[in-house]
Amino acid sequence: MYFIGWTDKKIVLNWSDAISVTRKKTMAGTVDNALQITYDSGEGESSYFFGSFAFRENAFRITTQMTEVAKSLNEITEKKSKKSKKLPEVPPDEVVKTMELVFSKKIKNMSIARFYEICWSEGNGTDAKPFYGPWLDKCGCFDIEISEWDDSEGESDKFTNAWCGEKYDRKRTVEFKAKRTSHLYIGPPIAGISQTHFCRVEGDEKCVLSMAVQTNGIPYADVFSVEARWVARRVGSRDLSIDCGIFVDFKKNTMLKSKIRQGTIAESTPVYLNLFDEMKDVCAANAEPLDETEEEEEDDDEDRSLPEEEMPEIKSRFQIAVGQARAIKSSLMKYCGEMKNTAAEHPAFQQIDSRQILMAIGSLFALLILCWFVSPDATVPQNDVTNVSREEMEQFTKRLDDMNSEMKEMRIVLKQILSLMQESHSVSHFGSAEVDDEL
């Protein structure tokens, strides 16, 4: 905008610098023919007073309109600049890559700091309501005790998770009791759970919570522990990617290693998926509103179903695997029954130590339980397998492979037991070769 005075003095202002235009009067407030332009000088607000307009209203209208247009153009330019300036991508967590990935999902319109406050702080040092304790209670757990977060005082005082060797800023303990749902283990119906939580917030980029989980008072409790890792990392500028991984850390060797790992992962997965669903709901209720200059980012969730063109092949493979599992279970049930009848009817077995018979039949029974557990009778929908995702198919295939490996291990052990029985009592018609044929 240009203003020329009586003395040919020229004043030049940028439209974008103008803050306001107001009507003023001259001649001691008697002549209504002036305008005052307030503008940003770079060091604060300044103003110019212009009087003696011949057509003051026309000048006021044009100046006001041009000022508003300049403001709108500025807002559009700033919005484009902010949108084009993308934040650097946060790389996936390296430790999770070494674990069994339970899921990778997204939470929208949530910052790292707010996610920690809502989901993990339990109200310690924040204004958020407790979350983890009420969730445990909702799941049917009882005798729940959650300590307050213990914060490190400096770099040399940080807490170290012995399993991964990483350092964390906070540490707390969680203890509770829960009803057992697994059919793999014998023992009491109630299990005591001890968890040690390690937490680290890496600015606006990442929040890592590591759980060292120990189950107490059940068989094999001293053989293994479970490491669970929750990683929230920024995606774009407004969303979070939540990755959850599980690792079964064996402290001692056991022939049931693969079955313990498989059963632990199978039992933990629905629990952690339920925890994520609760997280997503509470985060949605506390989502941070978008600024006027921000647009909601396009949803790029990785949790997808299989394409329709792949369904016939997957359905066929799945049904074949189901049939194989059922055939294995049926064969083992038949063999176990025949062995029991033979042991009861054959005279030679009357001289064998009953503990040896029980050991052999017990081994077969354990193998039968393994097959029963992985058999899809109770866990796979029989009438509709068209909704099977790629992840579910891979998990089922892995379970079937694990079952075959464990059958081979149990088969070797059973052959050794029966071979010893044969050598001791000369039971020639019940040798290991027939065991091979039956299995």
Side-chain angles (χ1 to χ4, degrees):
M1 63 182 77
Y2 298 90
F3 294 92
I4 301 176
W6 296 109
T7 58
D8 293 332
K9 182 179 180 180
K10 181 186 294 185
I11 297 175
V12 180
L13 295 175
N14 292 324
W15 291 109
S16 58
D17 293 336
I19 297 174
S20 64
V21 181
T22 55
R23 298 181 180 90
K24 294 293 182 178
K25 296 181 180 180
T26 58
M27 302 296 290
T30 59
V31 180
D32 196 8
N33 65 347
L35 292 176
Q36 180 172 304
I37 310 295
T38 303
Y39 67 97
D40 183 4
S41 64
E43 299 179 354
E45 290 187 5
S46 298
S47 63
Y48 282 108
F49 186 91
F50 302 99
S52 302
F53 280 93
F55 303 99
R56 199 275 303 273
E57 288 304 314
N58 287 341
F60 174 77
R61 176 174 54 80
I62 294 173
T63 305
T64 302
Q65 290 176 349
M66 292 302 294
T67 300
E68 293 299 326
V69 169
K71 288 181 180 179
S72 299
L73 290 174
N74 272 345
E75 291 177 357
I76 293 173
T77 302
E78 290 175 1
K79 182 177 179 180
K80 288 183 177 180
S81 176
K82 187 173 182 179
K83 188 174 181 180
S84 61
K85 187 179 179 181
K86 293 184 178 180
L87 294 172
E89 182 181 353
V90 180
D93 186 76
E94 292 297 325
V95 178
V96 169
K97 292 180 180 180
T98 66
M99 309 173 79
E100 185 80 19
L101 182 64
V102 178
F103 62 81
S104 179
K105 294 179 178 289
K106 182 180 285 188
I107 292 179
K108 300 182 70 63
N109 299 329
M110 182 61 53
S111 66
I112 289 292
R114 189 56 178 159
F115 175 79
Y116 165 76
E117 292 177 357
I118 294 173
C119 298
W120 297 129
S121 75
E122 209 69 6
N124 298 156
T126 68
D127 59 355
K129 296 180 180 179
F131 169 76
Y132 194 68
W135 172 75
L136 288 173
D137 182 69
K138 185 177 179 180
C139 292
C141 302
F142 55 97
D143 293 347
I144 302 169
E145 296 182 6
I146 302 178
S147 69
E148 292 191 357
W149 283 108
D150 188 8
D151 295 332
S152 62
E153 297 180 357
E155 188 66 29
S156 60
D157 192 42
K158 289 183 179 293
F159 305 102
T160 303
N161 183 345
W163 173 72
C164 62
E166 289 188 334
K167 295 184 178 296
Y168 296 84
D169 302 321
R170 299 178 179 88
K171 177 183 177 181
R172 73 180 177 190
T173 57
V174 179
E175 294 186 355
F176 58 92
K177 294 180 179 178
K179 294 181 179 179
R180 299 172 61 202
T181 59
S182 174
H183 300 288
L184 282 177
Y185 311 123
I186 60 174
I190 303 297
I193 311 295
S194 298
Q195 297 180 346
T196 302
H197 291 188
F198 301 88
C199 188
R200 180 179 68 245
V201 177
E202 302 176 9
D204 297 329
E205 307 292 305
K206 195 174 181 182
C207 174
V208 180
L209 186 127
S210 180
M211 296 183 184
V213 185
Q214 183 68 50
T215 305
N216 305 313
I218 65 170
Y220 305 105
D222 61 335
V223 172
F224 72 100
S225 63
V226 179
E227 293 288 335
R229 187 176 179 90
W230 291 74
V231 179
R233 57 188 176 90
R234 176 184 53 75
V235 176
S237 59
R238 299 285 305 182
D239 300 339
L240 300 180
S241 174
I242 311 296
D243 300 328
C244 177
I246 300 176
F247 183 86
V248 182
D249 185 19
F250 285 93
K251 311 298 184 182
K252 301 179 182 179
N253 289 328
T254 172
M255 63 176 295
L256 296 177
K257 186 175 181 178
S258 59
K259 178 50 61 180
I260 291 175
R261 179 188 294 110
Q262 176 188 337
T264 301
I265 293 173
E267 189 172 1
S268 301
T269 296
V271 175
Y272 290 145
L273 284 171
N274 177 266
L275 177 55
F276 171 78
D277 289 339
E278 293 290 329
M279 283 181 175
K280 192 170 184 179
D281 290 342
V282 73
C283 287
N286 294 272
E288 298 174 339
L290 294 172
D291 295 336
E292 293 182 357
T293 58
E294 293 181 322
E295 293 181 358
E296 187 170 355
E297 296 180 358
E298 186 175 336
D299 191 2
D300 190 24
D301 200 338
E302 300 176 6
D303 187 28
R304 303 181 186 274
S305 300
L306 283 175
E308 288 295 330
E309 58 269 18
E310 297 185 26
M311 287 310 304
E313 178 186 354
I314 294 298
K315 179 177 179 180
S316 176
R317 291 172 57 195
F318 191 82
Q319 289 175 335
I320 291 172
V322 168
Q324 291 176 344
R326 288 176 177 164
I328 292 170
K329 185 180 73 175
S330 177
S331 176
L332 285 169
M333 290 179 65
K334 179 181 178 181
Y335 177 67
C336 189
E338 290 179 355
M339 180 179 177
K340 182 178 179 181
N341 294 334
T342 303
E345 297 175 0
H346 201 281
F349 278 88
Q350 304 301 322
Q351 302 175 358
I352 299 178
D353 189 347
S354 60
R355 287 177 298 178
Q356 292 177 315
I357 297 178
L358 289 175
M359 184 182 298
I361 295 179
S363 299
L364 274 176
F365 185 72
L367 183 57
L368 179 61
I369 291 297
L370 293 179
C371 294
W372 195 285
F373 178 78
V374 299
S375 175
D377 283 348
T379 58
V380 176
Q382 301 300 310
N383 297 326
D384 183 12
V385 295
T386 59
N387 294 323
V388 179
S389 66
R390 186 187 303 276
E391 182 180 356
E392 289 172 333
M393 186 63 206
E394 290 176 353
Q395 289 179 354
F396 183 81
T397 303
K398 185 176 182 299
R399 292 173 65 188
L400 195 59
D401 291 341
D402 290 343
M403 183 190 69
N404 289 331
S405 299
E406 291 179 16
M407 284 182 63
K408 291 178 182 179
E409 295 175 6
M410 294 295 294
R411 185 174 171 181
I412 293 172
V413 173
L414 185 58
K415 285 172 64 176
Q416 292 174 349
I417 293 173
L418 295 181
S419 177
L420 290 174
M421 292 172 62
Q422 182 185 30
E423 291 174 3
S424 301
H425 303 281
S426 300
V427 186
S428 59
H429 66 285
F430 199 70
S432 60
E434 293 187 7
V435 175
D436 287 338
D437 293 337
E438 288 291 340
L439 289 176

